[in-house]
Amino acid sequence: LKLREVAFIRGAYGTLSDASKNINVDNLKYSAPDQQIYYEYGFGIENIGFGNIRIIRVDFNWRGNYLDRPDASKFGIKAGFQFYF
């Protein structure tokens, strides 16, 4: 099948400016990881497709911290398209 397995870790740290908060038109509560680095980790399977067209990737990821947030999910599955030239 020529599938490839990838492992990853992602992180983010920072704040939101007042200008960014003022753009909020849907009254969503914005937050930024300004106390500790947010991170998530996981693995993915890429090179999914048919014939020579293999553009689909599926990631399985786990949240590493900030688990106390009310709407936080501990696990997620993401699918997407990727193109290599």
Coordinates of all heavy atoms in Angstrom, one line a residue:
L1 N 0.8 -1.2 0.0 CA 0.0 0.0 0.0 C 0.8 1.3 0.0 O 0.3 2.4 -0.2 CB -0.9 0.0 1.2 CG -2.0 -1.1 1.2 CD1 -2.8 -1.0 2.6 CD2 -3.0 -0.9 0.1
K2 N 2.1 1.2 0.3 CA 3.0 2.3 0.4 C 2.6 3.4 1.3 O 2.8 4.6 1.1 CB 3.2 2.9 -1.0 CG 3.8 1.9 -2.0 CD 4.0 2.6 -3.4 CE 4.5 1.6 -4.4 NZ 4.6 2.2 -5.7
L3 N 2.0 3.0 2.4 CA 1.6 4.0 3.5 C 2.8 4.4 4.3 O 3.7 3.6 4.5 CB 0.5 3.4 4.4 CG -0.8 3.0 3.7 CD1 -1.7 2.3 4.7 CD2 -1.5 4.1 3.1
R4 N 2.7 5.6 4.8 CA 3.8 6.1 5.7 C 3.2 6.4 7.0 O 2.2 7.1 7.1 CB 4.5 7.3 5.1 CG 5.4 6.9 3.9 CD 6.1 8.1 3.4 NE 5.2 8.8 2.6 CZ 5.6 9.5 1.5 NH1 6.8 9.5 1.1 NH2 4.7 10.1 0.8
E5 N 4.0 6.1 8.1 CA 3.5 6.5 9.4 C 4.4 7.6 9.9 O 5.6 7.6 9.7 CB 3.7 5.2 10.3 CG 2.9 5.3 11.6 CD 3.0 4.0 12.3 OE1 2.3 3.0 11.9 OE2 3.7 4.0 13.4
V6 N 3.8 8.6 10.5 CA 4.6 9.7 11.0 C 4.2 10.0 12.5 O 3.1 9.7 12.9 CB 4.3 11.0 10.2 CG1 4.8 10.9 8.8 CG2 2.8 11.3 10.1
A7 N 5.2 10.4 13.2 CA 4.9 10.8 14.6 C 5.2 12.3 14.7 O 6.0 12.9 14.0 CB 5.8 10.0 15.6
F8 N 4.4 13.0 15.7 CA 4.6 14.4 15.8 C 4.3 14.9 17.2 O 3.7 14.2 18.0 CB 3.7 15.2 14.8 CG 2.2 14.9 15.0 CD1 1.5 15.6 15.9 CD2 1.6 13.9 14.3 CE1 0.2 15.4 16.1 CE2 0.2 13.7 14.5 CZ -0.5 14.4 15.4
I9 N 4.8 16.1 17.4 CA 4.5 16.8 18.6 C 4.4 18.3 18.2 O 5.2 18.8 17.4 CB 5.5 16.7 19.8 CG1 5.1 17.4 21.0 CG2 6.9 17.1 19.3 CD1 5.8 17.0 22.3
R10 N 3.3 18.9 18.7 CA 3.1 20.3 18.3 C 2.9 21.2 19.6 O 2.5 20.7 20.6 CB 1.7 20.5 17.5 CG 1.7 19.8 16.2 CD 0.4 20.0 15.6 NE 0.3 19.1 14.4 CZ -0.7 18.3 14.0 NH1 -1.7 18.2 14.8 NH2 -0.7 17.6 13.0
G11 N 3.4 22.4 19.5 CA 3.3 23.3 20.7 C 2.9 24.7 20.3 O 3.1 25.1 19.2
A12 N 2.4 25.4 21.3 CA 2.1 26.8 21.1 C 2.3 27.6 22.4 O 2.0 27.0 23.5 CB 0.7 27.0 20.5
Y13 N 2.7 28.9 22.3 CA 2.8 29.7 23.5 C 2.6 31.1 23.0 O 3.1 31.5 22.0 CB 4.2 29.5 24.1 CG 4.4 30.4 25.4 CD1 3.8 29.9 26.6 CD2 5.0 31.6 25.3 CE1 4.0 30.7 27.7 CE2 5.2 32.3 26.4 CZ 4.7 31.9 27.7 OH 4.8 32.6 28.8
G14 N 1.9 31.9 23.8 CA 1.7 33.3 23.4 C 0.5 34.0 24.0 O -0.1 33.4 24.9
T15 N 0.2 35.2 23.6 CA -0.9 35.9 24.1 C -1.7 36.5 22.9 O -1.3 36.5 21.8 CB -0.5 37.1 25.0 OG1 0.4 38.0 24.2 CG2 0.3 36.7 26.2
L16 N -2.9 37.0 23.2 CA -3.7 37.7 22.2 C -3.7 39.2 22.5 O -3.9 39.6 23.6 CB -5.2 37.2 22.3 CG -5.4 35.7 21.9 CD1 -6.8 35.3 22.3 CD2 -5.2 35.6 20.4
S17 N -3.6 39.9 21.4 CA -3.6 41.4 21.6 C -5.1 41.9 21.7 O -6.0 41.2 21.3 CB -3.0 42.0 20.3 OG -3.7 41.8 19.2
D18 N -5.2 43.1 22.2 CA -6.6 43.6 22.3 C -7.2 43.8 20.9 O -8.4 43.6 20.8 CB -6.5 45.0 23.0 CG -6.2 44.8 24.5 OD1 -6.5 43.8 25.0 OD2 -5.7 45.8 25.1
A19 N -6.4 44.1 19.9 CA -7.0 44.2 18.5 C -7.5 42.9 18.1 O -8.6 42.9 17.4 CB -5.9 44.7 17.6
S20 N -6.9 41.8 18.4 CA -7.4 40.5 18.0 C -8.6 40.2 18.7 O -9.6 39.6 18.2 CB -6.3 39.4 18.2 OG -5.2 39.6 17.4
K21 N -8.7 40.5 20.0 CA -9.9 40.2 20.8 C -11.1 41.1 20.3 O -12.2 40.6 20.3 CB -9.7 40.5 22.2 CG -8.7 39.6 22.9 CD -8.5 39.9 24.3 CE -7.4 39.1 24.9 NZ -7.1 39.5 26.3
N22 N -10.9 42.3 19.8 CA -11.9 43.1 19.3 C -12.5 42.6 17.9 O -13.6 43.1 17.6 CB -11.4 44.6 19.1 CG -11.2 45.2 20.5 OD1 -11.7 44.8 21.5 ND2 -10.3 46.2 20.5
I23 N -11.8 41.8 17.2 CA -12.3 41.2 16.0 C -13.4 40.2 16.2 O -14.2 39.9 15.3 CB -11.2 40.6 15.2 CG1 -10.2 41.7 14.8 CG2 -11.7 39.9 13.9 CD1 -8.9 41.1 14.1
N24 N -13.6 39.8 17.4 CA -14.5 38.7 17.8 C -16.0 39.1 17.5 O -16.5 39.9 18.2 CB -14.3 38.4 19.3 CG -15.1 37.2 19.7 OD1 -15.8 36.6 18.9 ND2 -15.0 36.8 20.9
V25 N -16.5 38.6 16.4 CA -17.9 38.9 16.0 C -18.9 37.9 16.5 O -20.1 38.2 16.6 CB -18.1 39.1 14.5 CG1 -17.3 40.3 14.0 CG2 -17.6 37.9 13.8
D26 N -18.5 36.7 16.9 CA -19.4 35.7 17.3 C -19.4 35.5 18.9 O -20.0 34.6 19.4 CB -18.9 34.3 16.8 CG -19.1 34.3 15.3 OD1 -20.0 35.0 14.8 OD2 -18.3 33.5 14.6
N27 N -18.8 36.5 19.6 CA -18.8 36.4 21.0 C -18.2 35.1 21.6 O -18.7 34.6 22.6 CB -20.2 36.7 21.6 CG -20.6 38.1 21.4 OD1 -19.8 39.0 21.4 ND2 -21.9 38.3 21.1
L28 N -17.2 34.6 20.9 CA -16.5 33.4 21.4 C -15.5 33.9 22.5 O -15.0 35.0 22.4 CB -15.7 32.7 20.3 CG -16.6 32.2 19.1 CD1 -15.7 31.7 18.0 CD2 -17.5 31.1 19.6
K29 N -15.2 33.0 23.4 CA -14.2 33.3 24.4 C -12.9 32.8 23.9 O -12.6 31.7 23.8 CB -14.6 32.6 25.7 CG -13.6 33.0 26.8 CD -14.0 32.3 28.2 CE -13.0 32.9 29.2 NZ -12.3 31.9 29.8
Y30 N -12.0 33.8 23.6 CA -10.7 33.5 23.2 C -9.8 33.3 24.4 O -9.9 34.0 25.4 CB -10.1 34.7 22.3 CG -10.7 34.8 21.0 CD1 -10.7 36.1 20.4 CD2 -11.3 33.8 20.3 CE1 -11.3 36.3 19.1 CE2 -11.9 34.0 19.1 CZ -11.9 35.2 18.5 OH -12.4 35.4 17.2
S31 N -8.8 32.4 24.2 CA -7.8 32.2 25.2 C -6.5 31.8 24.5 O -6.5 31.3 23.4 CB -8.2 31.1 26.2 OG -8.3 29.9 25.6
A32 N -5.4 32.1 25.2 CA -4.1 31.8 24.6 C -3.3 31.1 25.7 O -3.4 31.4 26.9 CB -3.4 33.1 24.1
P33 N -2.4 30.2 25.3 CA -1.5 29.6 26.3 C -0.4 30.5 26.8 O 0.7 30.4 26.3 CB -1.0 28.3 25.5 CG -1.0 28.8 24.1 CD -2.1 29.7 24.0
D34 N -0.7 31.3 27.7 CA 0.3 32.3 28.2 C 0.9 31.9 29.6 O 1.8 32.6 30.0 CB -0.3 33.7 28.3 CG -1.5 33.8 29.2 OD1 -1.9 32.7 29.7 OD2 -2.0 34.9 29.4
Q35 N 0.5 30.8 30.2 CA 1.1 30.4 31.5 C 2.1 29.3 31.3 O 3.1 29.2 31.9 CB 0.0 30.0 32.4 CG -1.0 31.1 32.8 CD -2.2 30.6 33.6 OE1 -2.3 29.5 33.8 NE2 -3.0 31.6 34.0
Q36 N 1.8 28.3 30.4 CA 2.7 27.3 30.1 C 2.5 26.9 28.6 O 1.4 27.2 28.0 CB 2.5 26.0 31.0 CG 1.1 25.4 30.9 CD 1.0 24.2 31.9 OE1 2.0 23.7 32.3 NE2 -0.2 23.8 32.1
I37 N 3.4 26.2 28.0 CA 3.3 25.8 26.6 C 2.2 24.8 26.4 O 2.2 23.8 27.1 CB 4.7 25.3 26.1 CG1 5.7 26.4 26.2 CG2 4.6 24.7 24.7 CD1 7.1 25.9 25.8
Y38 N 1.3 25.0 25.5 CA 0.3 24.0 25.1 C 1.0 23.1 24.2 O 1.8 23.4 23.3 CB -0.8 24.7 24.4 CG -1.7 23.7 23.7 CD1 -2.6 22.9 24.4 CD2 -1.6 23.4 22.3 CE1 -3.4 22.0 23.8 CE2 -2.3 22.5 21.7 CZ -3.3 21.8 22.4 OH -4.0 20.8 21.8
Y39 N 0.8 21.8 24.4 CA 1.3 20.8 23.5 C 0.4 19.6 23.2 O -0.5 19.4 24.0 CB 2.7 20.2 24.0 CG 2.6 19.3 25.2 CD1 2.6 18.0 25.0 CD2 2.5 19.9 26.5 CE1 2.5 17.1 26.1 CE2 2.5 19.0 27.6 CZ 2.4 17.7 27.4 OH 2.3 16.9 28.5
E40 N 0.5 19.0 22.1 CA -0.2 17.8 21.7 C 0.7 16.9 20.9 O 1.7 17.4 20.4 CB -1.5 18.1 20.9 CG -1.2 18.8 19.6 CD -2.5 19.1 18.9 OE1 -3.5 19.4 19.5 OE2 -2.5 19.2 17.6
Y41 N 0.4 15.6 21.0 CA 1.3 14.7 20.3 C 0.5 13.6 19.7 O -0.7 13.5 20.0 CB 2.3 14.0 21.4 CG 1.6 13.4 22.5 CD1 1.2 12.1 22.6 CD2 1.3 14.2 23.7 CE1 0.5 11.6 23.6 CE2 0.6 13.7 24.7 CZ 0.2 12.4 24.7 OH -0.5 11.8 25.8
G42 N 1.1 12.9 18.8 CA 0.3 11.8 18.1 C 1.0 11.2 17.0 O 2.3 11.3 16.8
F43 N 0.3 10.5 16.2 CA 0.9 9.9 15.0 C -0.1 10.0 13.8 O -1.3 10.3 14.0 CB 1.3 8.4 15.2 CG 0.1 7.5 15.4 CD1 -0.4 6.8 14.3 CD2 -0.5 7.3 16.6 CE1 -1.5 5.9 14.5 CE2 -1.6 6.5 16.8 CZ -2.1 5.8 15.7
G44 N 0.4 9.8 12.7 CA -0.5 9.9 11.5 C -0.1 8.9 10.4 O 1.0 8.3 10.5
I45 N -1.0 8.7 9.5 CA -0.8 7.8 8.4 C -1.0 8.7 7.2 O -2.1 9.3 7.0 CB -1.8 6.6 8.4 CG1 -1.5 5.8 9.7 CG2 -1.6 5.7 7.2 CD1 -2.6 4.7 9.9
E46 N 0.0 8.7 6.3 CA -0.1 9.5 5.1 C 0.1 8.6 3.9 O 0.4 7.5 4.0 CB 0.9 10.7 5.1 CG 2.3 10.3 5.2 CD 3.2 11.6 5.3 OE1 2.7 12.6 5.6 OE2 4.4 11.4 5.0
N47 N 0.0 9.2 2.7 CA 0.2 8.6 1.5 C -1.0 7.7 1.2 O -0.9 6.6 0.5 CB 1.5 7.8 1.4 CG 2.1 7.7 0.0 OD1 1.8 8.5 -0.8 ND2 2.9 6.6 -0.2
I48 N -2.2 8.1 1.6 CA -3.4 7.3 1.4 C -4.0 7.9 0.1 O -4.2 9.1 -0.1 CB -4.4 7.5 2.5 CG1 -3.8 7.1 3.8 CG2 -5.7 6.8 2.3 CD1 -4.6 7.4 5.1
G49 N -4.4 7.0 -0.8 CA -5.1 7.4 -2.0 C -5.2 6.2 -3.0 O -5.2 5.0 -2.6
F50 N -5.4 6.5 -4.2 CA -5.6 5.5 -5.3 C -4.6 5.7 -6.4 O -4.4 6.8 -6.9 CB -7.0 5.6 -5.8 CG -8.1 5.4 -4.7 CD1 -8.7 6.5 -4.2 CD2 -8.4 4.1 -4.3 CE1 -9.7 6.3 -3.2 CE2 -9.3 4.0 -3.3 CZ -10.0 5.1 -2.8
G51 N -3.9 4.7 -6.8 CA -3.0 4.8 -7.9 C -1.9 5.7 -7.6 O -1.2 5.6 -6.6
N52 N -1.6 6.7 -8.5 CA -0.5 7.6 -8.2 C -1.0 8.9 -7.5 O -0.2 9.8 -7.2 CB 0.1 8.1 -9.5 CG 0.9 7.0 -10.2 OD1 1.4 6.1 -9.5 ND2 1.0 6.9 -11.5
I53 N -2.3 9.0 -7.2 CA -2.8 10.1 -6.4 C -3.0 9.7 -5.0 O -3.9 9.0 -4.6 CB -4.1 10.6 -7.0 CG1 -4.0 11.0 -8.5 CG2 -4.7 11.8 -6.2 CD1 -5.2 11.3 -9.2
R54 N -2.0 10.2 -4.1 CA -2.0 9.8 -2.7 C -1.9 11.1 -1.9 O -0.8 11.4 -1.5 CB -0.8 8.8 -2.5 CG -1.0 7.6 -3.3 CD 0.2 6.6 -3.0 NE -0.1 5.3 -3.5 CZ -0.7 4.4 -2.9 NH1 -1.2 4.6 -1.7 NH2 -0.9 3.2 -3.4
I55 N -3.0 11.7 -1.7 CA -3.0 13.1 -1.1 C -3.6 13.1 0.3 O -3.7 14.2 0.9 CB -3.6 14.1 -2.0 CG1 -5.1 13.7 -2.3 CG2 -2.8 14.3 -3.3 CD1 -5.8 14.7 -3.1
I56 N -4.1 12.0 0.8 CA -4.9 12.0 2.1 C -4.0 11.7 3.2 O -3.1 10.8 3.1 CB -6.1 11.1 2.0 CG1 -7.0 11.5 0.9 CG2 -6.8 11.1 3.3 CD1 -8.1 10.5 0.5
R57 N -4.2 12.3 4.4 CA -3.4 12.0 5.6 C -4.4 12.0 6.8 O -5.3 12.9 6.8 CB -2.4 13.1 5.9 CG -1.7 12.9 7.2 CD -0.5 13.9 7.4 NE 0.0 13.8 8.7 CZ 1.1 14.3 9.1 NH1 1.9 14.9 8.2 NH2 1.5 14.2 10.4
V58 N -4.3 11.1 7.7 CA -5.1 11.0 8.8 C -4.2 11.0 10.1 O -3.2 10.3 10.2 CB -5.9 9.7 8.8 CG1 -6.8 9.6 10.1 CG2 -6.8 9.6 7.6
D59 N -4.5 12.0 11.0 CA -3.8 12.1 12.2 C -4.6 11.7 13.4 O -5.8 12.0 13.5 CB -3.3 13.6 12.4 CG -2.2 14.0 11.5 OD1 -1.5 13.1 11.0 OD2 -2.0 15.2 11.3
F60 N -4.0 11.1 14.4 CA -4.6 10.7 15.7 C -3.8 11.5 16.7 O -2.6 11.2 16.9 CB -4.5 9.2 15.9 CG -5.1 8.4 14.8 CD1 -4.4 8.0 13.7 CD2 -6.5 8.1 14.8 CE1 -5.0 7.3 12.7 CE2 -7.1 7.4 13.8 CZ -6.3 7.0 12.7
N61 N -4.4 12.4 17.4 CA -3.6 13.3 18.3 C -4.3 13.3 19.7 O -5.5 13.2 19.9 CB -3.4 14.7 17.8 CG -4.7 15.4 17.6 OD1 -5.7 14.8 17.2 ND2 -4.7 16.7 17.7
W62 N -3.4 13.4 20.7 CA -3.8 13.5 22.1 C -3.3 14.9 22.7 O -2.2 15.3 22.4 CB -3.1 12.4 23.0 CG -3.7 11.1 22.7 CD1 -4.7 10.5 23.4 CD2 -3.3 10.2 21.7 NE1 -4.9 9.2 22.9 CE2 -4.1 9.0 21.8 CE3 -2.4 10.2 20.6 CZ2 -4.1 7.9 20.9 CZ3 -2.3 9.1 19.8 CH2 -3.1 8.0 19.9
R63 N -4.2 15.5 23.5 CA -3.8 16.8 24.1 C -2.9 16.5 25.3 O -3.2 15.6 26.1 CB -5.1 17.5 24.6 CG -4.9 18.8 25.2 CD -6.2 19.3 25.7 NE -6.9 20.0 24.6 CZ -7.2 21.3 24.6 NH1 -6.9 22.0 25.6 NH2 -7.8 21.8 23.5
G64 N -1.8 17.2 25.4 CA -0.9 17.0 26.5 C -1.2 17.7 27.8 O -0.9 17.2 28.9
N65 N -1.8 18.9 27.7 CA -2.1 19.7 28.9 C -3.3 20.6 28.6 O -3.9 20.5 27.6 CB -0.9 20.5 29.4 CG -0.3 21.4 28.4 OD1 -0.8 21.5 27.3 ND2 0.7 22.2 28.8
Y66 N -3.6 21.5 29.6 CA -4.8 22.3 29.5 C -6.1 21.4 29.4 O -7.0 21.7 28.7 CB -4.8 23.3 28.3 CG -3.8 24.4 28.5 CD1 -2.5 24.4 28.0 CD2 -4.2 25.5 29.3 CE1 -1.7 25.5 28.2 CE2 -3.3 26.6 29.5 CZ -2.0 26.5 28.9 OH -1.2 27.6 29.1
L67 N -6.1 20.3 30.1 CA -7.2 19.4 30.1 C -8.3 19.8 30.9 O -9.4 19.2 30.9 CB -6.7 18.0 30.5 CG -5.7 17.3 29.6 CD1 -5.1 16.1 30.2 CD2 -6.3 17.0 28.3
D68 N -8.1 20.8 31.8 CA -9.2 21.3 32.7 C -10.2 22.3 32.0 O -11.1 22.7 32.6 CB -8.6 22.0 33.9 CG -7.7 23.1 33.5 OD1 -7.2 23.2 32.3 OD2 -7.4 24.0 34.4
R69 N -9.9 22.6 30.7 CA -10.9 23.5 30.0 C -12.2 22.8 29.8 O -12.2 21.6 29.5 CB -10.3 23.9 28.7 CG -8.9 24.6 28.8 CD -9.1 25.9 29.3 NE -7.8 26.5 29.6 CZ -7.3 27.6 29.1 NH1 -8.0 28.2 28.2 NH2 -6.1 28.1 29.4
P70 N -13.3 23.5 29.9 CA -14.6 22.8 29.8 C -14.9 22.1 28.5 O -15.5 21.1 28.4 CB -15.6 23.9 30.0 CG -14.9 25.2 30.3 CD -13.4 24.9 30.2
D71 N -14.5 22.7 27.4 CA -14.7 22.1 26.1 C -13.5 21.4 25.5 O -13.5 21.1 24.3 CB -15.2 23.2 25.1 CG -16.5 23.8 25.5 OD1 -17.3 23.1 26.2 OD2 -16.8 25.0 25.2
A72 N -12.5 21.1 26.3 CA -11.3 20.4 25.8 C -11.6 19.0 25.5 O -12.1 18.3 26.4 CB -10.2 20.6 26.7
S73 N -11.1 18.5 24.4 CA -11.2 17.1 24.1 C -9.8 16.5 24.3 O -8.8 17.1 23.9 CB -11.7 16.8 22.7 OG -10.9 17.4 21.8
K74 N -9.7 15.3 24.9 CA -8.4 14.7 25.1 C -7.8 14.0 23.9 O -6.6 13.8 23.8 CB -8.5 13.7 26.3 CG -8.9 14.3 27.6 CD -9.1 13.3 28.7 CE -9.5 14.0 29.9 NZ -9.8 13.0 31.0
F75 N -8.7 13.6 23.0 CA -8.2 12.9 21.8 C -9.0 13.4 20.6 O -10.1 13.8 20.7 CB -8.6 11.4 22.0 CG -8.3 10.5 20.8 CD1 -7.0 10.2 20.5 CD2 -9.3 10.1 20.0 CE1 -6.7 9.4 19.4 CE2 -9.1 9.3 18.9 CZ -7.8 9.0 18.6
G76 N -8.3 13.4 19.4 CA -8.9 13.9 18.2 C -8.4 13.1 17.0 O -7.3 12.6 17.0
I77 N -9.2 13.1 16.0 CA -8.8 12.5 14.7 C -9.0 13.6 13.7 O -10.1 14.2 13.6 CB -9.7 11.3 14.4 CG1 -9.5 10.2 15.4 CG2 -9.3 10.7 13.0 CD1 -10.4 9.0 15.2
K78 N -8.0 13.8 12.9 CA -8.1 14.8 11.8 C -7.7 14.2 10.5 O -6.8 13.4 10.4 CB -7.1 16.0 12.1 CG -7.3 16.7 13.4 CD -6.3 17.8 13.6 CE -6.5 18.5 14.9 NZ -5.4 19.4 15.2
A79 N -8.4 14.5 9.5 CA -8.1 14.1 8.1 C -7.9 15.3 7.2 O -8.6 16.3 7.4 CB -9.2 13.2 7.6
G80 N -7.0 15.2 6.3 CA -6.7 16.3 5.5 C -6.1 15.9 4.2 O -5.7 14.8 4.0
F81 N -5.9 16.9 3.3 CA -5.2 16.7 2.1 C -3.8 17.4 2.1 O -3.7 18.4 2.7 CB -6.0 17.4 0.9 CG -7.3 16.8 0.7 CD1 -8.5 17.4 1.2 CD2 -7.5 15.6 0.1 CE1 -9.7 16.9 1.0 CE2 -8.7 15.0 -0.1 CZ -9.9 15.7 0.4
Q82 N -2.8 16.8 1.5 CA -1.5 17.4 1.4 C -1.0 17.1 0.0 O -1.2 16.0 -0.5 CB -0.6 16.8 2.5 CG -0.3 15.4 2.5 CD 0.6 14.9 3.6 OE1 0.8 15.6 4.6 NE2 1.1 13.7 3.5
F83 N -0.2 18.1 -0.5 CA 0.3 18.0 -1.8 C 1.8 18.2 -1.7 O 2.3 19.0 -1.0 CB -0.3 19.1 -2.7 CG -1.8 19.0 -2.8 CD1 -2.6 19.8 -2.0 CD2 -2.3 18.2 -3.8 CE1 -3.9 19.8 -2.1 CE2 -3.7 18.1 -3.9 CZ -4.5 18.9 -3.1
Y84 N 2.5 17.3 -2.4 CA 4.0 17.4 -2.5 C 4.4 17.6 -3.9 O 3.8 16.9 -4.8 CB 4.7 16.1 -1.9 CG 4.6 16.0 -0.5 CD1 3.8 15.0 0.1 CD2 5.3 16.8 0.4 CE1 3.7 14.8 1.4 CE2 5.2 16.7 1.7 CZ 4.4 15.7 2.3 OH 4.3 15.5 3.6
F85 N 5.2 18.5 -4.2 CA 5.7 18.8 -5.6 C 7.1 18.4 -5.7 O 7.9 18.6 -4.8 CB 5.5 20.2 -6.0 CG 4.0 20.6 -6.0 CD1 3.4 21.3 -5.0 CD2 3.2 20.2 -7.0 CE1 2.1 21.7 -5.0 CE2 1.9 20.5 -7.1 CZ 1.3 21.3 -6.0

